[in-house]
Amino acid sequence: MTTLIADSGSTKTDWCLITENQSIQISTPGINPFFQNEQEIKQLLCEELLPKIQASTINHIHFFGAGCIGRSACNLLYRPLHELFCTSDIEIASDLLGAARSLCGNRSGIACILGTGSNSCLYDGKNITRNIPPLGFILGDEGSGNALGKRLISDCLKGILPTGIIQQFLNKYHLTQADILQSAYQESFPNRYLASFTPFLSENIHVPEIRQLVEECFRAFFERNLQLYNIPNAEIHFTGSIAWHFKEILQRLSKQYGFIVKNITRRPIEGLIRYYETIY
């Protein structure tokens, strides 16, 4: 039996091929049916994934992805996967369910994603029982890389951050205001573009104004999402690059808001491997 697992965000997809003797991890660009059509998804799979694996040997596929909500979006993925891998044993579900299985296993808790985007849910050990809608990179995504990058750029261009930090930011990325507006409003994947600036925040987290910026973005995630579940002393888990790089701040804020932090992981794929190794 060979199982293919995928955890896909807007920026990157982590794949793992599990056989009886080994597991092989592969990374490709992100797949999101909100932003890509069926032909684009198929082309990406053909160019980035198929050369690295033997498609004919795969029996089961579990794909968890951003944007995999509703029959129409899931079918955009199902059809090329079914065609390229010649198996109908394909599960396609949200990246949130994948994160919950990765973080919580068979236990209940609150599972959170903080990566390019953000999301959260109540999980009963098997299924998602409640989800405060994240609303995407325009209306929501509080605490995400997109939100952090958006706030950083806005505070720089409006002159809110210290002059030295603003100049350091512009020099590091060789940007003008026109460059930023062009990329944010007219080019593809603006959420990826905005999130790409979060390393600057991590590198300068010692600057009080930068730390305050990050904390305010995370507080919005707690207050506009996690507190709405209204479960005192709940166990909470985080995954994603933003959660990982700013875990010290997340741990402190979680305590302030009355949550018990259990796991903070960089990627869901490791937990998903453990979860499915117990099934197959």
Side-chain angles (χ1 to χ4, degrees):
M1 288 290 184
T2 302
T3 302
L4 182 64
I5 303 169
D7 171 69
S8 185
S10 294
T11 302
K12 184 178 72 168
T13 303
D14 290 322
W15 303 83
C16 185
L17 193 66
I18 301 176
T19 67
E20 294 180 1
N21 302 317
Q22 63 178 339
S23 61
I24 302 170
Q25 294 192 40
I26 301 163
S27 291
T28 69
I31 296 173
N32 188 328
F34 276 178
F35 299 115
Q36 295 153 292
N37 61 38
E38 186 173 332
Q39 186 57 41
E40 289 170 331
I41 291 171
K42 182 178 179 180
Q43 181 178 348
L44 188 152
L45 291 170
C46 288
E47 294 177 356
E48 302 286 346
L49 182 63
L50 287 186
K52 302 173 184 177
I53 62 175
Q54 191 172 347
S56 61
T57 65
I58 294 172
N59 307 107
H60 316 282
I61 298 176
H62 300 277
F63 188 102
F64 301 97
C68 294
I69 302 171
R71 180 176 297 178
S72 177
C74 290
N75 282 340
L76 284 180
L77 270 165
Y78 180 88
R79 285 190 290 265
L81 287 171
H82 177 61
E83 178 181 347
L84 296 173
F85 293 95
C86 301
T87 179
S88 57
D89 190 355
I90 301 173
E91 177 187 24
I92 298 173
S94 70
D95 58 342
L96 189 57
L97 179 59
R101 289 181 180 173
S102 170
L103 293 165
C104 305
N106 297 315
R107 292 174 57 85
S108 62
I110 297 177
C112 307
I113 297 173
L114 289 177
T116 301
S118 68
N119 209 343
S120 66
C121 69
L122 280 182
Y123 177 71
D124 64 4
K126 186 176 181 181
N127 298 304
I128 292 172
T129 58
R130 189 180 177 199
N131 168 233
I132 304 299
L135 301 182
F137 74 99
I138 293 177
L139 299 178
D141 267 357
E142 296 88 359
S144 67
N146 158 60
L148 288 165
K150 186 189 304 182
R151 173 70 183 274
L152 171 63
I153 290 173
S154 177
D155 284 7
C156 282
L157 296 183
K158 289 178 181 291
I160 294 172
L161 288 171
T163 302
I165 286 292
I166 295 172
Q167 198 58 52
Q168 183 181 341
F169 172 77
L170 295 176
N171 290 342
K172 178 180 176 67
Y173 294 101
H174 307 290
L175 292 170
T176 65
Q177 179 174 315
D179 294 331
I180 292 170
L181 295 178
Q182 168 76 22
S183 295
Y185 286 103
Q186 296 186 25
E187 295 184 7
S188 301
F189 301 105
N191 55 336
R192 290 186 193 175
Y193 174 73
L194 295 169
S196 71
F197 298 111
T198 55
F200 183 85
L201 295 172
S202 181
E203 294 162 8
N204 293 279
I205 198 65
H206 59 280
V207 178
E209 290 85 356
I210 293 292
R211 177 172 285 269
Q212 181 180 348
L213 182 159
V214 172
E215 288 191 2
E216 288 177 359
C217 287
F218 284 160
R219 286 186 184 279
F221 180 69
F222 279 91
E223 293 169 8
R224 296 179 62 82
N225 296 275
L226 303 185
Q227 283 194 313
L228 301 182
Y229 294 114
N230 196 27
I231 301 179
N233 301 313
E235 291 187 356
I236 192 167
H237 311 255
F238 297 91
T239 191
S241 58
I242 299 301
W244 181 255
H245 286 295
F246 298 101
K247 57 184 174 182
E248 177 270 325
I249 295 176
L250 273 179
Q251 288 169 331
R252 179 166 49 80
L253 290 179
S254 294
K255 186 175 181 180
Q256 288 181 14
Y257 283 96
F259 295 100
I260 301 169
V261 177
K262 287 297 183 179
N263 292 308
I264 299 180
T265 68
R266 188 168 190 167
R267 304 183 303 160
I269 194 68
E270 302 294 345
L272 284 170
I273 293 169
R274 291 192 296 271
Y275 183 87
Y276 282 102
E277 281 179 339
T278 64
I279 294 176
Y280 296 111

